[in-house]
Amino acid sequence: MAVELKKGEKRSLADLEQLDATFSALLRTAEIESGARRARFRTVDAGALFEQIADVYREVAEDAGDELIVVRSGHAPALVDGDRDLLAQLFVNLIENALRHCPPGSIIRCELVTDPDSVGFVVADDGDGIPPEERGNVLKRLYRLEKSRTSPGSGLGLSLVKAIADLHDGTLVLADNAPGLKIALTLRPAHD
């Protein structure tokens, strides 16, 4: 027997689902910040993981009228010590963030940059970007830019990215892509 929901009930159900997702993300961020996930660190081919995730989102980008380009610079291995699931979540959040906040027709560039001393990941777009004075704020929990407050989301995506980067002793930089936003994550290569 199917139950038909009225308009107000559908909205309430959607609000509850959003609240549940927000609560789950907050719990996950707290777990990451506690450092408990370090016990799960293994050597991860983060470069292959990044490229696989970007390849999956290439079709999503095309469906949205965008172009997603994957580029690799350098020939050093992209092995890092880390939690594969969390790194996957970080890459997904960065790419989804670019797709969500760029107008149709945007170009999103996912670049893997390796050398013997570092493994770097860049997600850059040619959208509206984030004003320099707001870049630190968007890494805080529940913070949303004024222009994004009417769109779906909770303001937890980039704060989760920051927590995962910190757990992996990574460096996360938000910069101007002229136009757009460039987010760069640098990690240390895995220990030999």
Side-chain angles (χ1 to χ4, degrees):
M1 178 171 96
V3 176
E4 193 170 318
L5 298 176
K6 296 176 185 171
K7 186 177 180 179
E9 292 170 328
K10 288 180 185 177
R11 182 162 185 222
S12 294
L13 183 58
D15 290 345
L16 285 174
E17 288 171 351
Q18 178 63 39
L19 184 61
D20 181 55
T22 299
F23 185 69
S24 295
L26 285 168
L27 285 175
R28 185 173 183 134
T29 301
E31 176 192 22
I32 293 165
E33 290 175 344
S34 77
R37 296 288 292 255
R38 281 190 190 269
R40 296 179 54 176
F41 276 25
R42 304 287 182 268
T43 299
V44 177
D45 186 343
L49 180 62
F50 181 67
E51 290 174 328
Q52 289 167 355
I53 290 170
D55 282 340
V56 167
Y57 277 94
R58 189 181 319 224
E59 193 170 309
V60 173
E62 288 172 7
D63 289 346
D66 299 322
E67 182 180 2
L68 192 145
I69 301 167
V70 181
V71 178
R72 183 174 186 140
S73 303
H75 299 288
L79 302 176
V80 301
D81 291 323
D83 182 314
R84 186 181 195 287
D85 293 339
L86 291 179
L87 290 170
Q89 182 68 60
L90 182 148
F91 299 145
V92 164
N93 283 17
L94 289 178
I95 294 169
E96 284 185 353
N97 194 63
L99 289 169
R100 182 178 298 121
H101 296 291
C102 286
S106 294
I107 297 174
I108 298 154
R109 180 181 172 98
C110 297
E111 185 173 2
L112 171 62
V113 183
T114 61
D115 63 44
D117 299 320
S118 66
V119 179
F121 308 91
V122 176
V123 176
D125 63 65
D126 60 359
D128 295 334
I130 297 174
E133 65 275 9
E134 293 282 15
R135 291 183 190 146
N137 292 332
V138 298
L139 298 175
K140 297 176 185 173
R141 287 186 209 154
L142 304 173
Y143 188 86
R144 299 186 71 198
L145 294 175
E146 188 63 39
K147 66 182 178 181
S148 300
R149 292 186 185 200
T150 57
S151 63
S154 61
L156 292 170
L158 289 178
S159 67
L160 184 60
V161 164
K162 172 90 168 94
I164 296 169
D166 289 348
L167 180 70
H168 288 82
D169 296 324
T171 303
L172 188 67
V173 176
L174 280 65
D176 190 4
N177 196 42
L181 179 66
K182 176 166 52 172
I183 301 180
L185 169 68
T186 305
L187 299 174
R188 289 189 312 256
H191 304 357
D192 294 335

